[in-house]
Amino acid sequence: MNRKALFPGSFDPFTKGHEAIVHKSLTLFDEVIIGIGFNASKTYYFPIEKRIEHIKSLFKNTPGVRVLTYSKLTVEFAKENNAFHIIRGLRDGKDFDYEKSIALMNKDLNEQIETVFLLTDNIYGAINSTIVREIHKNEGGIEKFVTNSHLL
Amino acid sequence: MNRKALFPGSFDPFTKGHEAIVHKSLTLFDEVIIGIGFNASKTYYFPIEKRIEHIKSLFKNTPGVRVLTYSKLTVEFAKENNAFHIIRGLRDGKDFDYEKSIALMNKDLNEQIETVFLLTDNIYGAINSTIVREIHKNEGGIEKFVTNSHLL
Amino acid sequence: MNRKALFPGSFDPFTKGHEAIVHKSLTLFDEVIIGIGFNASKTYYFPIEKRIEHIKSLFKNTPGVRVLTYSKLTVEFAKENNAFHIIRGLRDGKDFDYEKSIALMNKDLNEQIETVFLLTDNIYGAINSTIVREIHKNEGGIEKFVTNSHLL
Amino acid sequence: MNRKALFPGSFDPFTKGHEAIVHKSLTLFDEVIIGIGFNASKTYYFPIEKRIEHIKSLFKNTPGVRVLTYSKLTVEFAKENNAFHIIRGLRDGKDFDYEKSIALMNKDLNEQIETVFLLTDNIYGAINSTIVREIHKNEGGIEKFVTNSHLL
Amino acid sequence: MNRKALFPGSFDPFTKGHEAIVHKSLTLFDEVIIGIGFNASKTYYFPIEKRIEHIKSLFKNTPGVRVLTYSKLTVEFAKENNAFHIIRGLRDGKDFDYEKSIALMNKDLNEQIETVFLLTDNIYGAINSTIVREIHKNEGGIEKFVTNSHLL
Amino acid sequence: MNRKALFPGSFDPFTKGHEAIVHKSLTLFDEVIIGIGFNASKTYYFPIEKRIEHIKSLFKNTPGVRVLTYSKLTVEFAKENNAFHIIRGLRDGKDFDYEKSIALMNKDLNEQIETVFLLTDNIYGAINSTIVREIHKNEGGIEKFVTNSHLL
């Protein structure tokens, strides 16, 4: 059985925490699609081209990982790609309460699609794209939190 | 004793979860005012006229429910309408921590006004106006989450 | 309409926080039954007779309050007494996650019975029967947390 | 690749919520071991023989599920059985905070072993072995929460 | 040893809850710097000059308190001022999950800097700058939540 | 000013997480008393003598740390020792909700005594005495979680 999963997010930017989740997912799935959600009405901090290039560079030698962008409902993008599992990383109880709402809505929209939660390892537990952007805005270095951050 | 309550919100949109809370409230109160808070400086997704029309359609045959809009402090609107209880639905612990802050502030502003929390039933637990808007923006169908959604 | 509610608990002991919840409930219900759950296989700290006597003393001049004991399922005791609402006080998000599980199970057992949550006011927010017992065991005074504590 | 996972617990009793987690796990793993943890110093409500018999009956026609008991560290039992993923169901943020501690300790004890969290579906969200035992003790029916509950 | 701490925030506005945290901090530290973070790309509700003037007025007779503004990373501002502890007030579990992420990131950026959490006292527990702004926008009085609110 | 704090707990056993909290506390206080609470009616896993010996060994070369046992109310023990701050480590939101109740009760019992919360560092975040005991009972090694664990 070929098991395929979607790891969706805006990845603005893609942190070491996200990176670890992808590596963990590869022990569960044969193929992991990193889906960069793109919403015309939203403002992003790092340009989409940079984010794609950055994420691709991180997995160029990792078989089983594909990087795609999408601008439709996550469940529809998942289904189109025959990915019946959605992967989400969790850091704390507050995270979970939020992710649970989305996972249940996704299930209501397409009951074939299941969300799988993996733990953001303790060492990456503090990494949070919002705070990374804040550090970058304030001209702090983000290389501790983002691999190959010079590509962004 | 005539017991009257206010169920305030922006209801952008009014979901099946909100609908169930109103029906539960009618076992506790003789009259339930659905108060659509309107704030000139905020941007809403569904136009206010549509939201009023939609909510009114849902309760046109339900005695004891009124639909009003307001643009002042919730506690003042409640008092003006002789509603001494405010109703809020709860889904999870995160929700409660947020609602608790508001309930306590409201009590500080007018100590006669008490907040009553009802459980958003499991079957509607995932419904969340924010996510419903997101689905609508991405052209997904929202009829599973909103009764008579064609009115919006 | 005569609205009756059950406020169940082991009340070991009945704190000022519980007391405030009963007074708030009387603005919603015509009758509030304080139901002291008694389970033969559990060990209690304060004897049941003391707890009954203590709670009765607190409401002897408050019309609409009855104090009863029961040793069956809470929903069955509620139904037997024609009380279709169960009252619970909430202090924080952790409380809510726990109470929610019980409320949903109760609803599964009898769908006519709804749980109503009221906020344990900030001034009583720290009161917790477990900690009150701990203070009592360590010979600390509990009169700040329990009205008429000499009756226990 | 043959993917094997361990679903550990005391399952006292094994609820419809647990049952749904096993079925979800089978979309991720080729084999799921239901591991009934047995600790000589603990007291259980339902006898171990009944629990084994009950769980086996539920999966007798489901290929890929094995039911075993163990009385050592969960990570050691997992390793012995070549199961490198541990499955846990989550209902709310409080659950997650607890499960996270155990998952991180397990990872410290054996870094090859990863915990995978699946959502306890809304319809089973209220099911909790502790409450089910409480209902059973009070002579309430548990058949709504436990399939084939007569076997217990 | 001269112990110095930074209490950072946007303080839009500085509430009685913040005020109490500063007084508690003075039992731990010889000097407390109230650092008003200023970010050119953000919009604030109360003008920065008003906020500075307001906070200074509150502590004009309290030795050991200084009021400064900054527009760089909090950890860098702390270090520049030889403040090796950052103070944060906590109200509930949701607050903590958020503050924890920031504290851990700050520690990653500068491991000499430790965050100290103090409890926002129950009496101020409901005060929240966001809700205070909302009340002010709706022309409600904020003097219960903000000392000398006429200065804003 | 001589600042003294109490770090209370049952420390059954004293983990690397507790150890780190003591070291952090020494940047805030001139003296830290590790108070091992002893309650005749409770059962402990590691004998009190072993726990005392173990903790003393860890700090024998650290000035400013004393190890004491007590069997009265924590706030009274603190006051007796002129320690006006109580130190607690926090891992997650659930922890905080629990610690907050105790801190507020302690404040009600003695308003001079303030609780200071420090973050259990990410690297020790999973360490939890309950789980460490569980591992020990199941004959797993605990040396990763407890310094000098052979002394226990």
Side-chain angles (χ1 to χ4, degrees):
Chain A
M1 179 163 38
N2 186 48
R3 287 186 184 92
K4 206 188 274 194
L6 172 64
F7 182 35
S10 52
F11 304 121
D12 187 21
F14 193 91
T15 67
K16 287 188 183 175
H18 296 132
E19 207 178 331
I21 292 292
V22 171
H23 287 293
K24 285 189 183 193
S25 301
L26 288 168
T27 69
L28 279 169
F29 298 100
D30 301 292
E31 187 176 339
V32 173
I33 297 167
I34 300 174
I36 311 177
F38 183 77
N39 188 323
S41 67
K42 271 195 193 157
T43 314
Y44 298 95
Y45 184 76
F46 291 103
I48 180 78
E49 297 74 24
K50 290 275 187 187
R51 280 182 281 145
I52 297 172
E53 184 188 358
H54 173 240
I55 302 174
K56 283 193 169 164
S57 82
L58 299 174
F59 298 100
K60 66 181 169 205
N61 300 318
T62 313
V65 177
R66 285 167 65 204
V67 183
L68 299 173
T69 58
Y70 70 101
S71 54
K72 55 183 67 171
L73 279 184
T74 300
V75 285
E76 285 183 14
F77 180 65
K79 194 178 144 195
E80 239 177 56
N81 284 279
N82 293 312
F84 294 103
H85 292 90
I86 286 176
I87 299 162
R88 298 298 292 159
L90 292 175
R91 286 163 309 167
D92 52 44
K94 183 173 53 72
D95 263 17
F96 178 69
D97 280 339
Y98 176 76
E99 293 292 343
K100 181 185 167 182
S101 294
I102 294 179
L104 290 175
M105 291 290 264
N106 283 341
K107 187 123 205 195
D108 275 340
L109 291 167
N110 184 335
E111 65 174 348
Q112 288 180 287
I113 292 180
E114 197 62 51
T115 302
V116 171
F117 299 100
L118 297 171
L119 197 56
T120 300
D121 276 352
N122 241 5
I123 199 164
Y124 305 110
I127 300 178
N128 175 314
S129 296
T130 310
I131 312 182
V132 171
R133 286 197 299 273
E134 209 59 35
I135 293 170
H136 196 264
K137 264 183 225 170
N138 284 288
E139 293 172 27
I142 61 169
E143 59 280 1
K144 274 197 184 167
F145 311 114
V146 178
T147 309
N148 290 351
S149 59
H150 62 278
L151 291 177
L152 283 167
Chain B
M1 179 167 33
N2 186 46
R3 288 186 183 92
K4 208 189 272 194
L6 173 64
F7 181 35
S10 53
F11 304 120
D12 188 20
F14 193 91
T15 67
K16 287 188 183 175
H18 296 132
E19 207 178 332
I21 292 291
V22 172
H23 286 294
K24 285 189 184 192
S25 301
L26 288 169
T27 69
L28 280 168
F29 299 99
D30 301 293
E31 188 177 338
V32 174
I33 297 167
I34 300 173
I36 311 177
F38 183 77
N39 189 322
S41 65
K42 271 194 193 157
T43 313
Y44 298 95
Y45 184 76
F46 292 103
I48 180 79
E49 298 74 24
K50 292 273 188 187
R51 279 182 282 145
I52 297 173
E53 184 189 357
H54 172 240
I55 302 174
K56 283 192 170 166
S57 82
L58 299 174
F59 297 101
K60 66 183 170 202
N61 299 318
T62 313
V65 177
R66 284 167 64 204
V67 182
L68 299 174
T69 59
Y70 69 102
S71 55
K72 56 183 66 171
L73 278 184
T74 300
V75 286
E76 286 183 14
F77 180 66
K79 194 178 146 196
E80 237 178 57
N81 284 279
N82 293 312
F84 295 103
H85 291 90
I86 287 176
I87 299 161
R88 298 298 292 160
L90 292 175
R91 286 164 308 168
D92 52 44
K94 183 174 51 74
D95 262 17
F96 178 69
D97 281 338
Y98 176 77
E99 293 292 343
K100 181 184 168 184
S101 295
I102 293 180
L104 290 173
M105 291 290 265
N106 282 342
K107 187 125 204 194
D108 274 340
L109 290 167
N110 185 333
E111 64 173 348
Q112 288 180 286
I113 291 180
E114 197 62 50
T115 303
V116 171
F117 299 100
L118 296 171
L119 197 56
T120 300
D121 276 352
N122 241 8
I123 198 164
Y124 306 111
I127 300 179
N128 177 312
S129 295
T130 311
I131 311 183
V132 171
R133 285 198 301 275
E134 209 58 38
I135 293 170
H136 196 265
K137 262 183 226 169
N138 285 288
E139 295 172 25
I142 61 170
E143 59 280 2
K144 274 197 185 166
F145 312 114
V146 177
T147 308
N148 290 351
S149 59
H150 62 279
L151 291 177
L152 285 166
Chain C
M1 179 164 36
N2 185 47
R3 287 185 183 93
K4 208 189 272 193
L6 172 65
F7 182 34
S10 52
F11 304 122
D12 187 22
F14 193 91
T15 67
K16 286 187 183 177
H18 297 132
E19 208 178 331
I21 291 292
V22 171
H23 287 294
K24 284 189 184 192
S25 301
L26 288 168
T27 69
L28 280 168
F29 298 99
D30 301 292
E31 187 177 339
V32 173
I33 297 167
I34 300 175
I36 312 176
F38 183 77
N39 188 323
S41 66
K42 270 195 194 157
T43 314
Y44 298 96
Y45 183 76
F46 291 104
I48 180 79
E49 297 75 22
K50 291 275 188 187
R51 279 182 282 145
I52 297 172
E53 183 188 0
H54 173 241
I55 301 173
K56 283 193 170 167
S57 84
L58 299 174
F59 297 100
K60 68 182 167 204
N61 300 317
T62 313
V65 177
R66 286 166 64 203
V67 182
L68 298 174
T69 57
Y70 69 101
S71 54
K72 55 183 68 171
L73 279 184
T74 300
V75 285
E76 285 183 14
F77 180 65
K79 194 179 146 195
E80 236 176 59
N81 284 279
N82 293 312
F84 295 102
H85 292 90
I86 286 176
I87 299 161
R88 298 298 293 160
L90 291 176
R91 286 163 308 166
D92 53 44
K94 182 172 53 71
D95 264 16
F96 178 69
D97 280 338
Y98 176 76
E99 293 292 344
K100 182 185 167 183
S101 294
I102 293 179
L104 290 174
M105 290 291 264
N106 283 341
K107 188 124 203 193
D108 275 339
L109 290 168
N110 184 336
E111 66 174 347
Q112 286 180 289
I113 291 179
E114 197 62 51
T115 302
V116 171
F117 300 100
L118 296 171
L119 198 55
T120 299
D121 275 352
N122 242 5
I123 198 165
Y124 306 110
I127 300 178
N128 176 312
S129 296
T130 310
I131 312 183
V132 171
R133 286 197 300 273
E134 208 60 36
I135 292 170
H136 196 264
K137 264 183 224 169
N138 285 288
E139 294 171 27
I142 62 170
E143 60 280 2
K144 272 196 185 167
F145 312 113
V146 177
T147 308
N148 291 350
S149 59
H150 62 279
L151 290 178
L152 283 168
Chain D
M1 178 165 37
N2 186 45
R3 288 187 183 90
K4 208 189 271 194
L6 173 64
F7 182 34
S10 53
F11 304 121
D12 188 20
F14 192 90
T15 67
K16 287 187 183 176
H18 296 132
E19 206 178 332
I21 292 292
V22 171
H23 286 293
K24 286 189 183 192
S25 301
L26 289 169
T27 68
L28 280 168
F29 299 99
D30 301 293
E31 187 177 337
V32 173
I33 297 168
I34 299 174
I36 311 177
F38 183 77
N39 188 322
S41 66
K42 270 194 194 158
T43 314
Y44 298 95
Y45 184 76
F46 291 103
I48 180 78
E49 296 75 23
K50 291 274 187 188
R51 278 183 282 144
I52 297 172
E53 182 188 0
H54 173 240
I55 302 173
K56 283 193 171 166
S57 82
L58 300 174
F59 297 101
K60 66 181 170 205
N61 300 318
T62 314
V65 177
R66 284 168 63 204
V67 182
L68 299 174
T69 59
Y70 69 101
S71 55
K72 55 183 65 171
L73 278 184
T74 300
V75 285
E76 286 183 15
F77 180 65
K79 195 179 145 197
E80 239 178 55
N81 284 278
N82 293 312
F84 295 103
H85 292 89
I86 286 176
I87 299 161
R88 298 297 291 160
L90 292 175
R91 285 164 310 166
D92 52 45
K94 183 173 52 73
D95 262 17
F96 178 69
D97 280 339
Y98 176 77
E99 292 292 341
K100 181 184 167 183
S101 295
I102 293 180
L104 290 173
M105 291 290 266
N106 282 341
K107 187 125 205 193
D108 274 340
L109 290 167
N110 184 334
E111 65 174 347
Q112 287 180 287
I113 291 180
E114 197 61 53
T115 302
V116 171
F117 299 100
L118 297 172
L119 197 56
T120 300
D121 276 352
N122 242 7
I123 199 165
Y124 306 111
I127 299 179
N128 176 311
S129 296
T130 310
I131 312 182
V132 172
R133 284 198 300 274
E134 208 59 37
I135 292 170
H136 196 265
K137 262 183 225 169
N138 285 288
E139 295 173 24
I142 62 170
E143 60 280 2
K144 273 196 185 169
F145 311 114
V146 177
T147 308
N148 290 351
S149 59
H150 63 278
L151 291 178
L152 284 166
Chain E
M1 178 167 31
N2 186 46
R3 288 185 183 91
K4 205 189 274 195
L6 172 64
F7 182 35
S10 53
F11 304 121
D12 188 21
F14 193 91
T15 67
K16 287 188 183 175
H18 296 133
E19 207 178 332
I21 292 291
V22 171
H23 287 294
K24 286 190 183 192
S25 302
L26 288 168
T27 69
L28 280 169
F29 299 99
D30 300 293
E31 188 177 338
V32 173
I33 297 167
I34 299 173
I36 312 177
F38 184 77
N39 187 322
S41 65
K42 270 194 195 159
T43 314
Y44 298 95
Y45 183 77
F46 293 103
I48 180 79
E49 298 75 24
K50 291 274 187 185
R51 278 182 281 145
I52 297 172
E53 184 189 357
H54 173 240
I55 302 174
K56 283 192 170 164
S57 82
L58 300 174
F59 297 101
K60 68 182 170 205
N61 299 319
T62 313
V65 177
R66 286 167 64 205
V67 182
L68 299 174
T69 59
Y70 70 101
S71 54
K72 56 183 64 170
L73 278 184
T74 300
V75 286
E76 285 181 16
F77 180 65
K79 194 179 146 196
E80 236 177 59
N81 284 279
N82 294 312
F84 295 103
H85 291 90
I86 286 176
I87 299 161
R88 299 296 292 160
L90 292 176
R91 287 165 308 166
D92 53 44
K94 182 174 53 75
D95 263 18
F96 177 69
D97 280 338
Y98 176 77
E99 293 292 344
K100 181 185 168 183
S101 294
I102 293 179
L104 290 174
M105 291 289 266
N106 283 341
K107 187 125 207 194
D108 274 341
L109 290 167
N110 185 333
E111 66 174 346
Q112 286 180 289
I113 291 180
E114 196 63 50
T115 302
V116 171
F117 299 100
L118 296 171
L119 197 55
T120 300
D121 276 352
N122 241 6
I123 198 164
Y124 305 111
I127 300 177
N128 176 312
S129 296
T130 310
I131 311 183
V132 171
R133 285 197 300 275
E134 208 60 34
I135 292 170
H136 196 264
K137 261 182 227 171
N138 285 288
E139 294 173 25
I142 62 170
E143 60 280 2
K144 273 196 185 167
F145 312 114
V146 177
T147 308
N148 290 352
S149 58
H150 62 279
L151 291 177
L152 284 167
Chain F
M1 176 168 32
N2 186 47
R3 288 187 184 89
K4 205 189 274 194
L6 172 64
F7 182 35
S10 52
F11 304 122
D12 187 21
F14 192 91
T15 66
K16 288 188 183 175
H18 296 133
E19 208 179 332
I21 291 292
V22 171
H23 287 293
K24 285 190 184 193
S25 301
L26 289 168
T27 69
L28 280 169
F29 299 99
D30 301 292
E31 187 176 338
V32 173
I33 297 167
I34 299 173
I36 312 177
F38 183 77
N39 189 323
S41 66
K42 270 195 195 157
T43 314
Y44 298 96
Y45 183 77
F46 292 104
I48 180 78
E49 298 75 24
K50 291 275 186 185
R51 279 182 283 146
I52 298 172
E53 183 189 358
H54 172 239
I55 302 174
K56 283 193 170 164
S57 82
L58 300 174
F59 297 101
K60 69 183 168 204
N61 299 319
T62 313
V65 177
R66 285 167 64 204
V67 182
L68 298 174
T69 58
Y70 69 101
S71 53
K72 57 183 64 170
L73 278 185
T74 300
V75 286
E76 285 182 14
F77 180 66
K79 195 179 145 196
E80 237 178 57
N81 284 280
N82 293 313
F84 295 103
H85 291 89
I86 287 176
I87 299 160
R88 298 298 292 158
L90 291 176
R91 286 164 307 166
D92 53 44
K94 182 174 52 75
D95 262 17
F96 178 69
D97 280 337
Y98 176 77
E99 293 291 343
K100 182 184 168 184
S101 294
I102 293 178
L104 289 174
M105 291 289 265
N106 282 342
K107 187 126 207 193
D108 274 340
L109 290 167
N110 185 335
E111 66 174 345
Q112 287 180 288
I113 291 180
E114 196 62 52
T115 303
V116 171
F117 299 99
L118 297 172
L119 198 55
T120 301
D121 276 351
N122 242 4
I123 198 163
Y124 306 112
I127 299 179
N128 177 312
S129 296
T130 310
I131 311 183
V132 171
R133 286 198 300 274
E134 208 59 36
I135 293 171
H136 197 264
K137 261 183 227 171
N138 285 288
E139 293 171 26
I142 62 170
E143 60 280 1
K144 272 197 185 166
F145 312 114
V146 177
T147 309
N148 290 352
S149 58
H150 62 279
L151 290 178
L152 284 168

